[in-house]
Amino acid sequence: MNMHINISPEFSRNLWIELGSHRLLATPLVLASIFFLVYLVTNNSPNSYYQSFYYTGVVLYFAFTMVVGTKSASESISNELKEGTWDSQRMTSISPWAMTWGKLFGSTIFSWYGGLIALCFGLLGAIELPNISSIDIALLLVAGILSHSVAMLFNLSLIARSRSIIESRSSYVFYLLLIFSAIALLKVFGSSETIIWYGETYSIHYFFVVSVVVFSVWSILGVYRLIREELQIRNSSIVWLSFVSFVSIYCAGFINIGNIQFEFDLFFARFMCAVAIFMISGYFILFFQKKDPILLSRLSVLKNQRKWYELLRTLPAWFTTFGISSLLFIALFFLTGSSDSPITYLFDNKLLLVSILLLIYRDILIVIYFSMEPTAKKVELTAILLLLVLYLLLPTIMKALGIDFLAALFFPYANQYTTITFIGSLTQLLLMIYLIYRRNMVITENWGSQT
Amino acid sequence: MIDIKNLIFDYPGRRALNDISITVERGQIAALVGPNGAGKTTLLRCIAALHFPLSGKITIDGLDVAENPRECHRKLGFLSDFFGLYKVLSVKQNLSYIAMANGIRGEALALAVDRAAERLHISDRMAEPVGNLSRGLRQRVAIAQAIVHEPQVLLLDEPASGLDPEARKSLSDLFLELKDQGMTLMVSSHILAELEDYCSSMIIVRNGVIVDSDGQNQNVDVTCQINISLSRKIDDFAYRLQSINEITVIESDELCAQIEMSVSSESQQKVLHQLIQLDVPVCSFCQVKQQMQSTYLKQINSFDKNH
């Protein structure tokens, strides 16, 4: 026990649970037996031994780290909740960082143990193979870390939303991650393709490995931030905003217009991409993050107490994301038509841009309105259904009836009926503000009657 | 030691704690009593920085819980209604993990683990997996886990539920021992009989508010009634009783008396000692039970009348 004293207690605890003496001894023996079997069933040519060893090692590594490890990481904290041990952990004075790495590498230690032994056996074969790149091995290692950290990140996010729904949803995330990792690795493994990013050509291999490393760092940072919150240390949304900014810059690099007539075109297209990513992130976090009247009450209390710094720290990430998105949207407003570039003329209808912004605010208020119902169930699903009706069903029915101008009340058709779209979006926004005001009054009255 | 001011906590659609203000002095054992759903567990979880209140302030030994949750956890031990134990780990591993997670390292680790195990009389079970233990023993391990880092404040949510009478007795002895060592305890329960033996003050919670009878939130000091019987008649028994400061005589005659005094066993021992020094031939000195129950009901009735 003393050997673990100076490392994270959480890591030590996971070692005691996950890596008992039986597993320590049995895993290499079972793996050695599998590789011996591979040796027996392979043709006698040395080259086929090496290849079989290598690919068996890779497949077993994938099975251990991606299948077993990702599942362990995804269930790590939800199992603590189920066993009633999470509160005991939260009550200790362990640091968030020690908890983060202790859980991330501790809960997956068995999968790393088995996976790395399998990979070592596989590498015995790879030494003699000419086409095996060390970058493939690096990719396998970092993909494991990314998969584990993303699984844990989703699990923690679900826990932050609700303590009761995590189990089933965690497994969906696990299967999705598994499929995604398998497809991505199969696509990139051994590939000699190239990729253009910000005009520079890179080997897809190197680019993918670097991307996986960078996104692993972000997801570990995400796990760390969510563990801080679980330990009751309040976070501001600055790290989330930095992440969204990074993703915007990262994705914008893939926009490469082959035949550039105007330098501004490329900048504008990349800027549009950044705005779109901010908006999508805003919607994502709006639907994903916990929203209830208590948060709104807390913000209201902090405002009344004039605790501005506290208020800023308490603002939910969707609020700040949409705040930045709005600023970017306003910048877009000024960029359109500011050059001779033809691409900007596509967005030259400023009234339409304003209408889109108003519709986005309406969408936010719809989600908040449903969240304010104290006993509400499936808030996000209800909001999504209503948004589908507003954006899709109603405009389609109206178009089918031949009353296109009324369809524009709900959907921003480019350069057509923009005044109607503006009136429609403004009316809907004002209606939502009124409905939220009414619901807030009811909630306040209910609380008043309880006290 | 624990200072709570204007605490409000809401669950969606329901106010669980409404403007609660209480103070628990260092070295007290405060009983947190009230019916199921009154808000006792929520209050304990707010103090333990496991819940974040809507407004109000909680300080532990001067530290703001909302601002310094991790520092507060160093000063706190918490026994939740779930025990929070790893069933596949041994008793020793469970205790070691919590001790390490609270920053205890090196030689101090083994000492802290052994001391907590000794206090809960589980030293002979250290190698056993927790999953193999009975409920009573698991309860003891959970309490040992809560005190392994020698916290200044110990919060216990229904600590004696499911324990047999013998285990309850040893639990109350432990709480008194911890109190004597300077620890402040807050024990929630809706079974008053189990609190009677060790609590020095009572906080009654009902519908998320602290019950009060005179318009101010208050902690009700717990006293007890003692019946004293003598082996022979003493003419000036009442006079001799009046010379003892710590007691209030309710009624007395030449052969027996009923007095009211502090519930603590030290006070009882002191009063008995004084009686013997006063040459009173005491043949029986026993506490009348259910005092807390009657105090509680009195306060609740008064609260209900006023609201």
Side-chain angles (χ1 to χ4, degrees):
Chain A
M1 194 180 293
N2 287 340
M3 62 179 282
H4 307 308
I5 276 173
N6 292 324
I7 58 175
S8 163
E10 183 55 23
F11 188 73
S12 304
R13 184 190 64 77
N14 276 300
L15 279 184
W16 298 336
I17 291 177
E18 298 291 329
L19 222 50
S21 51
H22 288 100
R23 278 183 169 186
L24 266 175
L25 292 172
T27 311
L29 285 176
V30 171
L31 286 171
S33 309
I34 292 171
F35 279 95
F36 184 60
L37 182 67
V38 169
Y39 169 75
L40 292 177
V41 297
T42 317
N43 293 332
N44 286 331
S45 78
N47 217 25
S48 62
Y49 284 143
Y50 298 139
Q51 276 203 338
S52 304
F53 256 61
Y54 177 61
Y55 286 112
T56 307
V58 169
V59 168
L60 285 173
Y61 172 85
F62 187 87
F64 267 104
T65 52
M66 296 302 196
V67 182
V68 180
T70 307
K71 191 162 170 58
S72 304
S74 123
E75 290 174 349
S76 163
I77 297 167
S78 45
N79 280 345
E80 299 275 0
L81 273 171
K82 215 161 41 179
E83 298 292 321
T85 48
W86 185 224
D87 279 346
S88 309
Q89 294 200 352
R90 292 172 70 208
M91 278 298 298
T92 63
S93 53
I94 190 169
S95 75
W97 174 239
M99 180 77 96
T100 303
W101 81 259
K103 281 212 176 295
L104 193 59
F105 295 101
S107 65
T108 56
I109 190 72
F110 171 65
S111 67
W112 282 116
Y113 178 64
L116 289 175
I117 291 173
L119 197 61
C120 288
F121 273 117
L123 288 178
L124 291 176
I127 292 165
E128 297 298 328
L129 293 173
N131 299 329
I132 303 302
S133 150
S134 59
I135 206 79
D136 280 336
I137 310 303
L139 179 60
L140 282 172
L141 295 174
V142 290
I145 295 172
L146 179 66
S147 178
H148 297 171
S149 53
V150 171
M152 196 170 276
L153 184 67
F154 268 96
N155 190 242
L156 273 162
S157 309
L158 290 170
I159 287 169
R161 272 172 61 92
S162 165
R163 298 298 213 222
S164 56
I165 55 162
I166 40 173
E167 209 173 333
S168 56
R169 296 195 184 175
S170 284
S171 37
Y172 294 141
V173 172
F174 161 67
Y175 291 122
L176 279 174
L177 269 174
L178 202 60
I179 294 164
F180 178 77
S181 316
I183 293 171
L185 285 176
L186 282 173
K187 176 100 180 124
V188 176
F189 215 66
S191 166
S192 55
E193 287 175 37
T194 56
I195 196 164
I196 300 169
W197 192 68
Y198 281 107
E200 300 288 329
T201 305
Y202 298 95
S203 147
I204 197 164
H205 246 114
Y206 286 101
F207 190 83
F208 198 76
V209 169
V210 173
S211 298
V212 169
V213 168
V214 173
F215 278 100
S216 297
V217 171
W218 275 114
S219 64
I220 291 171
L221 189 59
V223 172
Y224 166 74
R225 300 281 290 180
L226 287 175
I227 282 189
R228 267 172 63 94
E229 260 177 36
E230 282 293 321
L231 300 180
Q232 299 294 81
I233 305 168
R234 272 169 288 171
N235 288 326
S236 66
S237 13
I238 193 82
V239 172
W240 164 256
L241 290 176
S242 309
F243 173 70
V244 178
S245 306
F246 168 77
V247 174
S248 301
I249 294 165
Y250 179 83
C251 291
F254 293 106
I255 294 178
N256 297 290
I257 301 171
N259 187 14
I260 304 170
Q261 285 180 321
F262 293 89
E263 191 65 36
F264 189 76
D265 280 358
L266 191 57
F267 169 75
F268 190 79
R270 284 175 179 165
F271 188 76
M272 281 287 298
C273 170
V275 176
I277 282 171
F278 255 93
M279 285 295 177
I280 292 165
S281 308
Y283 275 100
F284 172 77
I285 201 79
L286 173 70
F287 280 99
F288 206 79
Q289 225 179 9
K290 189 180 179 180
K291 307 159 286 294
D292 57 40
I294 293 160
L295 175 68
L296 299 177
S297 306
R298 188 168 292 140
L299 293 172
S300 166
V301 167
L302 291 171
K303 183 182 77 77
N304 294 338
Q305 292 173 344
R306 294 172 182 277
K307 291 182 175 171
W308 304 117
Y309 177 64
E310 279 299 296
L311 183 75
L312 274 176
R313 280 207 302 176
T314 314
L315 280 175
W318 56 262
F319 185 92
T320 44
T321 313
F322 277 115
I324 304 279
S325 305
S326 302
L327 291 178
L328 292 175
F329 220 84
I330 291 164
L332 195 65
F333 195 81
F334 289 108
L335 282 174
T336 51
S338 63
S339 86
D340 295 332
S341 168
I343 193 168
T344 66
Y345 286 113
L346 290 173
F347 302 92
D348 201 21
N349 190 333
K350 291 191 165 56
L351 195 60
L352 188 73
L353 283 178
V354 173
S355 306
I356 292 172
L357 201 56
L358 294 180
L359 284 174
I360 289 167
Y361 292 152
R362 178 209 64 182
D363 297 348
I364 299 168
L365 294 186
I366 284 175
V367 180
I368 291 173
Y369 177 74
F370 286 125
S371 311
M372 286 174 82
E373 176 63 52
T375 53
K377 296 254 189 295
K378 301 188 187 304
V379 167
E380 289 77 17
L381 191 66
T382 317
I384 287 171
L385 280 175
L386 180 61
L387 292 178
L388 281 175
V389 168
L390 290 173
Y391 278 124
L392 209 68
L393 196 62
L394 282 178
T396 314
I397 290 171
M398 285 165 185
K399 278 210 157 199
L401 291 171
I403 40 176
D404 290 17
F405 69 98
L406 280 183
L409 280 172
F410 303 100
F411 195 88
Y413 294 104
N415 299 328
Q416 264 189 306
Y417 312 117
T418 43
T419 314
I420 292 176
T421 304
F422 175 73
I423 293 167
S425 53
L426 185 64
T427 313
Q428 290 171 69
L429 179 66
L430 291 174
L431 177 70
M432 286 316 303
I433 291 171
Y434 172 72
L435 288 174
I436 285 181
Y437 172 75
R438 284 289 304 273
R439 183 158 277 183
N440 190 46
M441 294 292 284
V442 172
I443 290 170
T444 313
E445 278 167 24
N446 281 349
W447 273 336
S449 66
Q450 280 179 35
T451 54
Chain B
M1 189 69 190
I2 305 172
D3 195 23
I4 301 173
K5 284 203 171 73
N6 309 111
L7 186 76
I8 296 178
F9 185 90
D10 286 344
Y11 288 114
R14 188 168 66 87
R15 180 144 290 179
L17 299 174
N18 186 22
D19 205 20
I20 280 185
S21 296
I22 47 173
T23 302
V24 178
E25 300 297 337
R26 189 184 294 271
Q28 266 195 337
I29 304 182
L32 189 60
V33 294
N36 288 330
K40 304 185 297 289
T41 300
T42 306
L43 178 57
L44 285 180
R45 291 179 69 83
C46 284
I47 298 170
L50 292 173
H51 276 343
F52 196 69
L54 179 66
S55 65
K57 191 173 179 180
I58 304 172
T59 51
I60 307 276
D61 198 20
L63 268 180
D64 187 335
V65 170
E67 289 302 318
N68 312 285
R70 309 304 289 157
E71 288 77 4
C72 285
H73 286 159
R74 284 201 188 94
K75 294 175 185 280
L76 283 170
F78 182 54
L79 174 78
S80 68
D81 43 357
F82 303 104
F83 299 153
L85 299 168
Y86 293 94
K87 288 177 190 158
V88 294
L89 294 182
S90 68
V91 172
K92 187 173 184 175
Q93 284 174 323
N94 268 284
L95 297 181
S96 301
Y97 166 62
I98 293 294
M100 286 194 294
N102 278 299
I104 302 171
R105 296 285 194 275
E107 285 176 12
L109 175 67
L111 286 174
V113 169
D114 289 344
R115 185 168 154 75
E118 267 170 36
R119 277 171 157 181
L120 272 298
H121 311 294
I122 47 171
S123 300
D124 55 335
R125 307 280 186 155
M126 294 293 259
E128 276 189 56
V130 166
N132 292 357
L133 301 178
S134 67
R135 183 185 160 82
L137 277 170
R138 270 186 283 143
Q139 183 103 341
R140 283 202 232 167
V141 178
I143 297 170
Q145 189 173 275
I147 61 168
V148 70
H149 60 297
E150 306 278 342
Q152 293 177 30
V153 175
L154 183 58
L155 307 171
L156 303 118
D157 195 2
E158 305 281 356
S161 63
L163 291 187
D164 58 51
E166 198 184 336
R168 283 185 188 202
K169 174 72 179 73
S170 77
L171 195 66
S172 57
D173 290 346
L174 172 76
F175 290 164
L176 288 167
E177 186 194 320
L178 294 174
K179 180 196 155 206
D180 291 343
Q181 288 164 7
M183 205 179 275
T184 307
L185 288 88
M186 201 166 186
V187 187
S188 106
S189 179
H190 59 279
I191 306 164
L192 296 175
E194 80 179 39
L195 299 168
E196 197 98 49
D197 297 336
Y198 50 80
C199 285
S200 45
S201 70
M202 179 163 68
I203 300 160
I204 304 171
V205 192
R206 191 173 169 87
N207 296 333
V209 293
I210 299 292
V211 170
D212 58 342
S213 54
D214 55 1
Q216 283 187 335
N217 293 336
Q218 64 174 20
N219 303 344
V220 182
D221 281 335
V222 175
T223 56
C224 67
Q225 289 180 10
I226 305 274
N227 283 339
I228 305 168
S229 305
L230 308 184
S231 59
R232 59 185 162 81
K233 285 184 179 179
I234 302 279
D235 293 338
D236 63 344
F237 182 35
Y239 176 75
R240 290 190 207 187
L241 282 174
Q242 277 162 13
S243 67
I244 302 172
N245 291 332
E246 287 88 350
I247 64 169
T248 308
V249 180
I250 298 168
E251 58 181 20
S252 69
D253 58 24
E254 292 162 333
L255 205 55
C256 60
Q258 192 170 49
I259 61 168
E260 189 170 84
M261 61 171 295
S262 164
V263 76
S264 87
S265 48
E266 293 84 6
S267 304
Q268 290 183 29
Q269 190 266 331
K270 206 170 153 189
V271 168
L272 183 59
H273 183 67
Q274 286 185 61
L275 284 168
I276 290 162
Q277 277 188 334
L278 290 166
D279 207 20
V280 176
V282 180
C283 72
S284 151
F285 184 93
C286 63
Q287 190 176 324
V288 181
K289 292 288 176 186
Q290 302 306 313
Q291 176 67 13
M292 194 177 234
Q293 179 100 13
S294 61
T295 310
Y296 172 75
L297 291 173
K298 229 187 293 174
Q299 293 286 353
I300 288 288
N301 288 336
S302 160
F303 174 79
D304 286 346
K305 272 180 206 161
N306 295 331
H307 291 79

